Amino acid sequence: MWKRLLVVSAVSAAMSSMAMAAPLTVGFSQVGSESGWRAAETSVAKEEAAKRGITLKIADGQQKQENQIKAIRSYISQRVDYIVFSPIVEDGWETVLQEAKEADIPVIVMDRNVSCDPSLYTAWVGSDFTEEGRNAARWLEEDLKGKKFDQKETVHIVVLRGTSNASATLGRTKGFAEIAKTHPNWEILDSDDADFTTAKGREVMEKYLQKYKDIDVVVSQNDDMTFGAIEAIRAAGKTTGTGGDITLISFDGTRSALEKVKSGVINVDIECNPLQGTYIQEIINRLGDGEPVDKINYVEEKVYTQKNVLSVLGDRVY
Ligand code: GZL
């Protein structure tokens, strides 16, 4: 899992000479500002750069790949020292990453994945989204033990998916389904894109509530959609969470959602750690010192329920 690929010595030599000169400039092409999680990721990237006196240029892609590509091209023409980007989707990056490679500018991919040749980027930092999906299903397996659903009655499940073709959406969907299919009594009634936003999460949940009279579990692939789902479920006169009508599984682990885990409104929150900025600065330091870096760098993540949420809520920065 941990592939250690040596960075070409020419790049590290160039970096170390630059490290002695003017402060580094990093161009960051961000997906957008669609969720609380995304806002946290951006602010941590800013803080980490400021700590190290790095000039960080940030371009908001506003949920469009073409905007992200334009920003990367602009960073190439500005001759930044590093390019960092969180790809909104996995495909369509080959050309612009080839241009960055030809310009000899190291690219670090963060958060989501790209499907292109790994030689086109220096390192990737992010989450194992499929494992996040599996963790959601593992939690549900435990939660159902001893209840009427345990291997007998049908568990009716609906899924609120994130933006289509985002690796977070693809991985969480795949990981949950991988375990769900081992349970003949788990029935996924519906699974639809709700774009990681509260408004769309509410809209799709309203549609589900009109269409299905027996929903037992909602799997919502980020906290913002979960907040919309809660609004829709309450408007339908039902309750969520511990002891509620509908079990609510969320992803991201933002502070405002963890408060709802603490109060029992959300049953479980699968953390997606947005603090990649810290890992990325470490990679830039190592490259500047001519040291090798790992190609794949997973951030640490946990699963939060009422049992352990108090241990992190106190000093949660996002
Ligand atoms: C996950 C990230 C997702 C979050 C959402 O790494 O890409 O995008 O889960 C965000 O909140 O919109």
Side-chain angles (χ1 to χ4, degrees):
M1 182 162 95
W2 289 86
K3 290 193 190 114
R4 179 173 287 279
L5 295 179
L6 286 180
V7 177
V8 175
S9 56
V11 172
S12 51
M15 290 305 131
S16 52
S17 65
M18 258 185 257
M20 313 297 281
L24 291 177
T25 301
V26 174
F28 177 18
S29 169
Q30 177 59 294
V31 166
S33 51
E34 73 283 2
S35 65
W37 186 94
R38 185 67 58 197
E41 185 192 51
T42 302
S43 63
V44 167
K46 285 178 185 167
E47 285 159 22
E48 289 301 320
K51 266 188 220 169
R52 292 165 175 79
I54 284 174
T55 303
L56 181 68
K57 297 168 179 270
I58 302 182
D60 178 340
Q62 295 177 323
Q63 307 300 319
K64 290 188 172 63
Q65 181 175 31
E66 63 263 32
N67 291 345
Q68 288 201 274
I69 290 172
K70 266 189 218 136
I72 292 171
R73 286 205 165 107
S74 157
Y75 295 142
I76 292 170
S77 60
Q78 295 174 54
R79 300 292 315 149
V80 297
D81 299 303
Y82 293 89
I83 290 170
V84 175
F85 79 115
S86 174
I88 184 162
V89 291
E90 298 199 345
D91 305 323
W93 303 98
E94 290 76 2
T95 305
V96 73
L97 293 186
Q98 186 59 44
E99 290 165 17
K101 185 167 187 174
E102 283 159 12
D104 207 12
I105 300 176
V107 173
I108 300 171
V109 185
M110 69 190 282
D111 174 19
R112 300 180 183 173
N113 307 79
V114 290
S115 59
C116 64
D117 177 351
S119 71
L120 291 177
Y121 54 90
T122 303
W124 172 85
V125 180
S127 305
D128 183 341
F129 300 115
T130 306
E131 187 63 8
E132 289 178 359
R134 293 190 195 104
N135 283 337
R138 290 178 188 128
W139 175 85
L140 186 57
E141 285 180 320
E142 286 307 308
D143 185 65
L144 293 177
K145 277 186 181 149
K147 293 183 179 172
K148 63 176 180 172
F149 297 119
D150 201 359
Q151 305 307 330
K152 298 182 190 67
E153 281 194 42
T154 302
V155 185
H156 303 101
I157 301 166
V158 292
V159 181
L160 297 173
R161 289 198 310 257
T163 47
S164 59
N165 293 324
S167 36
T169 305
L170 298 170
R172 289 167 188 165
T173 303
K174 178 174 170 236
F176 184 85
E178 193 181 279
I179 293 181
K181 69 173 187 254
T182 66
H183 294 277
N185 66 319
W186 290 18
E187 184 184 351
I188 297 181
L189 297 171
D190 219 321
S191 176
D192 209 344
D193 293 347
D195 294 351
F196 286 132
T197 66
T198 297
K200 194 72 178 166
R202 183 175 54 244
E203 180 190 316
V204 175
M205 192 67 226
E206 283 165 355
K207 181 188 79 173
Y208 288 161
L209 288 161
Q210 284 154 13
K211 203 168 163 187
Y212 307 103
K213 63 177 177 28
D214 279 341
I215 296 172
D216 301 304
V217 180
V218 175
V219 179
S220 169
Q221 292 182 352
N222 91 326
D223 293 336
D224 298 72
M225 295 188 293
T226 302
F227 301 147
I230 291 167
E231 289 171 17
I233 292 168
R234 281 181 176 159
K238 297 192 173 188
T239 57
T240 64
T242 315
D245 303 317
I246 296 179
T247 294
L248 206 37
I249 298 174
S250 192
F251 289 80
D252 277 356
T254 56
R255 183 185 187 82
S256 41
L258 293 185
E259 293 287 358
K260 289 184 177 0
V261 170
K262 177 184 156 195
S263 63
V265 171
I266 295 174
N267 295 77
V268 59
D269 206 333
I270 315 297
E271 183 179 30
C272 179
N273 182 347
L275 310 184
Q276 296 101 345
T278 319
Y279 293 73
I280 285 169
Q281 290 305 337
E282 176 55 28
I283 288 170
I284 288 176
N285 292 345
R286 291 182 64 84
L287 290 172
D289 295 342
E291 292 174 25
V293 297
D294 290 319
K295 178 69 94 174
I296 305 292
N297 304 270
Y298 286 114
V299 294
E300 283 182 34
E301 299 179 332
K302 294 185 175 63
V303 173
Y304 293 113
T305 65
Q306 275 187 325
K307 289 186 188 132
N308 66 349
V309 72
L310 287 179
S311 65
V312 285
L313 255 183
D315 52 4
R316 193 87 173 161
V317 293
Y318 62 92

